[in-house]
């Protein structure tokens, strides 16, 4: 039923404005933790929880060089969200198609009678 | 910074496989609570929590007629998710455009020297 075991985490990650803002920033290019944290009025340990959540759910990768940890965005989760949306859309469209089919068939039946 | 105050709830609602499955079912057309609950091995009060979460976050509307509560999908949250995705995509594309601009300008500069 569920091809993305990780879809729970992928959506959960987006259910927070700090995490969405971090993804928005990383879309412009990689950044260090301290650079990412700057716009938020938040203690570093709290901010790090958000970073770890984004990393664990697959939205970002991080790399430590010396004392600096750099974060970069991953695009696979975007593709997973888009796939889920397009699957939902396909269900509605199938529904519309079936409705059109029904109307067309009813019309044909009327004409042949 | 955030045009959808409700984006937290919209994404939170999707972070659960039961709720995603209910939305998938409702994409095919409205259904009663008992029809929706059937495929899930879940006590009704637990299932109702998911239904209420979907309703509170704006994904579905419900209507009670006599003893039967019918649920129907709302499409605005899908549009909100799609808008968020396309905004992210615009950021990357802006980034790619800037990179292309840089490469093109560097190339022009080289040629004019």
């Amino acid at each position: 039923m569920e091809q993305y075991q990780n879809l729970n985490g992928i959506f959960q990650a987006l259910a927070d404005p700090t995490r969405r803002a971090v993804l928005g920033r990383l879309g412009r290019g990689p950044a260090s933790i301290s650079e990412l944290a700057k716009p938020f009025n938040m203690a570093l340990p709290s901010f790090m929880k958000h970073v770890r959540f984004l990393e664990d759910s697959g939205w970002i990768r991080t790399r430590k060089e010396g004392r600096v940890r750099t974060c970069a965005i991953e695009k696979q989760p975007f593709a997973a969200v888009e796939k889920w949306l397009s699957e939902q859309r396909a269900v509605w469209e199938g529904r519309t198609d079936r409705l059109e089919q029904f109307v067309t068939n009813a019309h044909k039946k009327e004409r042949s009678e």
Side-chain angles (χ1 to χ4, degrees), chain A:
Chain A
M1 189 181 229
E2 188 70 70
Q3 47 257 83
Y4 295 102
Q5 297 176 344
N6 202 26
L7 221 39
N8 291 355
I10 284 173
F11 283 123
Q12 183 73 56
L14 300 182
D16 179 274
T18 300
R19 293 194 293 260
R20 289 197 300 277
V22 167
L23 290 178
R25 166 59 193 84
L26 291 176
R28 304 208 322 266
S32 68
I33 298 279
S34 59
E35 191 187 338
L36 282 176
K38 218 172 282 173
F40 302 100
N41 187 15
M42 197 180 285
L44 194 63
S46 306
F47 187 75
M48 284 305 295
K49 275 185 197 165
H50 288 304
V51 169
R52 269 192 295 270
F53 200 107
L54 287 170
E55 192 171 20
D56 291 346
S57 58
W59 279 102
I60 67 168
R61 58 183 184 282
T62 77
R63 207 165 72 130
K64 196 162 188 177
E65 286 183 89
R67 288 182 168 198
V68 178
R69 183 173 290 278
T70 304
C71 305
I73 206 160
E74 290 282 0
K75 296 196 178 167
Q76 189 278 329
F78 282 99
V81 172
E82 277 170 351
K83 190 171 186 298
W84 183 82
L85 281 172
S86 69
E87 282 165 359
Q88 301 308 306
R89 204 161 277 284
V91 171
W92 309 339
E93 280 162 14
R95 180 183 162 193
T96 312
D97 289 352
R98 281 194 303 275
L99 187 65
E100 271 168 15
Q101 191 84 36
F102 174 78
V103 172
T104 309
N105 288 348
H107 186 66
K108 276 187 192 156
K109 196 165 174 278
E110 238 169 49
R111 285 167 61 103
S112 71
E113 273 168 8

